[in-house]
């Protein structure tokens, strides 16, 4: 049975980690979570992204956030990945495709171009 | 929307966009009746806008805070014999401003969408950093009640660790799943 007191352990563990993460060179992953995104299936995509990032221990190099409508509702769920000046826009995402992208792009630095908007 | 929990996510995201500092999500299941209510202290809506908010054709891009979400939710609720109510007080006119959306569904109706994965909905709301309003979530099934108050999480975590931290989200998800299972 989980208790809120377990958060104390996480707090202790995180103390050192948070400061390490302040340095750049990280991926910023943004998921469109407006009505259009949610209706198209953004929630399971986001859940898959979060659990995969945790499972692959990428918390220090990947920062996940949410945004509203990106303006291309017909391509939702949309996931944008930024690093420095680079930007990749993954479209019509599914939890399965998301896992592949985490493995290939975020872990091994190889974007999967066939899932990006340029190949639509 | 295929699940009611997706509508809850959508409405609560709008509360966040409305600048709410406190968002309460309550879900009550009694027999065949399911009611959910989302209350916030965001900027609210003017009386004029509130009167038009359920009409999909009067929503403009500048007021995309609502869009088609609410009219379709109202239709879905009424299709089961239920209802959707919205009350709102604009911050321009009221000191105690905010919005309350209440939807009632009858779950034994063939057209009633499933509640779906409410845990994912709550987890994704907590993940939405840097916006961190206080969330109070409660779910009751008959006599059984499960609730989560993010202030209690912050009390344990201290000021430096956000709720969006992956390790915290992982914990919160398991905590919520256990709590939901305990409702029976």
């Amino acid at each position: 049975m989980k208790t809120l007191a377990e958060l104390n352990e996480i707090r202790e563990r995180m103390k050192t980690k948070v400061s390490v993460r302040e340095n750049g060179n990280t991926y910023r992953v943004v998921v469109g979570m407006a009505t259009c995104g949610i209706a198209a299936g953004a929630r399971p995509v986001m859940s898959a992204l979060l659990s995969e990032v945790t499972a692959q221990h990428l918390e220090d190099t990947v920062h996940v956030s949410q945004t509203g409508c990106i303006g291309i509702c017909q391509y939702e769920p949309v996931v944008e990945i930024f690093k420095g000046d680079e930007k990749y826009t993954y479209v019509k995402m599914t939890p399965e495709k998301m896992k592949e992208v985490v493995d290939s792009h975020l872990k091994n630095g190889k974007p999967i171009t066939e899932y990006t908007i340029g190949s639509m | 929307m295929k699940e009611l929990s997706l509508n809850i996510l959508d409405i609560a995201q709008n509360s966040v966009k409305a600048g709410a500092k406190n968002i309460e999500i309550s879900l009550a299941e009694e027999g065949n009746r399911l009611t959910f209510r989302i209350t916030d202290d965001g900027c609210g809506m003017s009386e004029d806008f509130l009167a038009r908010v359920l009409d999909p054709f009067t929503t403009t891009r500048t007021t995309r805070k609502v869009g088609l979400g609410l009219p379709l939710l109202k239709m879905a609720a009424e299709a089961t014999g239920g209802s959707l109510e919205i009350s709102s007080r604009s911050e321009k006119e009221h000191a105690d401003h905010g919005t309350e959306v209440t939807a009632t569904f009858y779950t034994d109706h063939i057209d009633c969408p499933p509640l779906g994965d409410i845990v994912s909905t709550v987890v994704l709301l907590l993940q939405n950093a840097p916006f961190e309003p206080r969330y109070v979530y409660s779910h009751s099934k008959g006599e059984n009640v499960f609730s989560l108050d993010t202030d209690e999480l912050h009390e344990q975590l201290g000021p430096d660790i956000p709720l969006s931290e992956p390790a915290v989200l992982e914990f919160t998800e398991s905590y919520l799943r256990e709590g939901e299972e305990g409702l029976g």
Side-chain angles (χ1 to χ4, degrees), chain B residues 27-36 81-82 103-108 112 140-142:
Chain B
L27 193 57
E29 294 180 65
E30 275 184 50
N32 63 347
R33 194 177 63 192
L34 184 154
T35 304
F36 65 81
T104 303
F105 285 78
Y106 286 90
T107 53
D108 53 355
C112 186
S140 68
K141 265 188 191 176

Side-chain angles (χ1 to χ4, degrees), chain B residues 8 10 23 40 45 62 72 75 89 96 98 103 110 120-121 123 129 138 148-149 161 171 174 176 181:
Chain B
I8 295 173
D10 191 25
I23 301 174
D40 71 51
M45 294 176 252
T62 52
L72 291 178
M75 204 170 74
R89 291 158 74 86
D96 58 336
I110 194 166
S120 287
T121 283
V123 168
S138 70
L148 177 89
D149 181 339
I161 316 271
F171 165 84
S174 322
L176 283 162
E181 278 166 22

